[in-house]
Amino acid sequence: MAVTMLQDWCRWMGVSPRRALLVLGVPEDCDDAEFQESLEAALWPLGHITVLGKVFREEDRATAALVGLDREVDYALVPREIPGAGGPWHVAFVPRSSGEEFLGRVFHFLEQHGQSVEGLAGALGLGLPRMCWLRSVSRAVQPLLGALRYQRLGVFSGRDPPGPGEECFEAWLDHAGDMLQLWQEVSERERRRRLLEGLRGTARQLTYGLLAENPARTAQDCLAALTQVFGERESQATIRLKCVVARQQTGERLSAFVLRLEVLLQKAVEMGALARASADHLRLRQVLTRASLIEPLDEALRKLRLVGRPPRFLEMLGLVREAEAWEASVARNLRARAQREADARAQREADARAEAPAVARAQAKAEDEKVEKEEEE
């Protein structure tokens, strides 16, 4: 079940499940610094790690975290448990690849470099049955090694000034724009993966948030959003003011407002106009005071504010989307009910029109009988 959750979460965020781990059983009161320290102490042999997201699971009464790696999981090094607050945290990962999958990837790589499986089999003196087997193995794993034929992006995190080994946004943007043009032949999902590969820190978290809000968003859309956040520098007072006065526009979905607000908050944090610890509180305040909320969502958010636990961006987005789904369901039910009532009225009117001639004939007959009776008298 944990592996299924890991795969679904990775699919939702557009990352490879073979470059991610799922950490379960983290206490809710474990602060970010302690959590990060425990992860790095246990997972440092696996390379650079990034916390891609957290979610509180009611069934466990604990937090689950998705951790991204900069390379595929090394099964010999990944721990089953991580010593941490509240006891050991369980680590879940996808099972290792089969030998057949590995061979298929190798032959696909050869084909990508101009070698056919048939030609390779002939050169090796293999007969037709084995050649057919090689072809079937090759077709079974076609998704691999196109990734080996592209130039990786440089690293951009959004820090100002850039850290060691990182690029400034303008240089990174020029390279990323050129690469997106060269990657026209690959799938959109692969383009997004390659773009995310060059991101770290706040820039990566923001892009994950964009994809979580709309998984169909293209790599070019993500690049445009990053440009909006990191491309134009405003004064600290101006960007903070934009955060404080941001409100839901007429006709704007609440989820769209939350995402638009998040872009402003992340920009304010990066510019030093807003403390990172204050972003959750400001996000909650703006949604409560500057947006139109249905009663259940308003009540839930006010309770969180009362206990001093403002939801983070992905948690807020999840609550909002659940509320929007519930509201849409209620609207559909009301429309269906109105339609049924309209159909019933139309049926009654049709029945009345159908009965009208019979009633008229009965009335006419009664009048005739009355006249005849009066004449007889």
Side-chain angles (χ1 to χ4, degrees), residues 4 18-19 34 36 79 81 90 111 125 128 194 228 241 257 280-281 283-284 287 294 306 311 326 338 376:
T4 301
R18 297 194 181 280
R19 292 191 172 199
E34 183 180 5
Q36 190 71 31
E81 293 180 340
H90 178 67
E111 288 183 324
L128 181 60
R194 295 179 182 184
Q228 181 181 355
L241 179 63
F257 167 62
D280 293 341
H281 293 277
R283 182 190 306 109
L284 178 58
V287 171
I294 61 175
L306 187 63
W326 180 84
E376 289 176 357

Side-chain angles (χ1 to χ4, degrees), residues 324-365:
E324 288 178 339
W326 180 84
E327 193 173 19
S329 175
V330 170
R332 285 195 301 270
N333 292 336
L334 290 175
R335 287 195 298 268
R337 180 179 177 182
Q339 185 61 48
R340 288 195 299 270
E341 293 176 350
D343 293 343
R345 280 197 306 272
Q347 186 61 46
R348 289 195 296 269
E349 292 172 358
D351 293 342
R353 286 194 297 270
E355 294 174 358
V359 173
R361 287 195 299 270
Q363 290 176 345
K365 182 178 180 181

Side-chain angles (χ1 to χ4, degrees), residues 268-308:
V269 169
E270 288 304 315
M271 293 181 61
L274 180 69
R276 189 174 298 277
S278 303
D280 293 341
H281 293 277
L282 183 54
R283 182 190 306 109
L284 178 58
R285 190 189 75 178
Q286 294 303 106
V287 171
L288 282 172
T289 61
R290 303 282 180 159
S292 176
L293 308 179
I294 61 175
E295 185 175 346
L297 178 60
D298 183 81
E299 182 179 353
L301 293 180
R302 290 188 184 280
K303 286 182 179 178
L304 290 174
R305 188 179 188 182
L306 187 63
V307 300

Side-chain angles (χ1 to χ4, degrees), residues 26-44:
V26 181
E28 187 180 9
D29 57 357
C30 180
D31 60 51
D32 290 343
E34 183 180 5
F35 175 72
Q36 190 71 31
E37 182 179 351
S38 298
L39 285 185
E40 291 178 353
L43 302 179
W44 68 265

Side-chain angles (χ1 to χ4, degrees), residues 43-69:
L43 302 179
W44 68 265
L46 299 175
H48 180 78
I49 63 172
T50 305
V51 179
L52 305 180
K54 293 182 181 180
V55 63
F56 181 77
R57 303 182 72 204
E58 288 289 346
E59 58 268 37
D60 298 336
R61 302 301 301 169
T63 297
L66 182 65
V67 179
L69 309 175

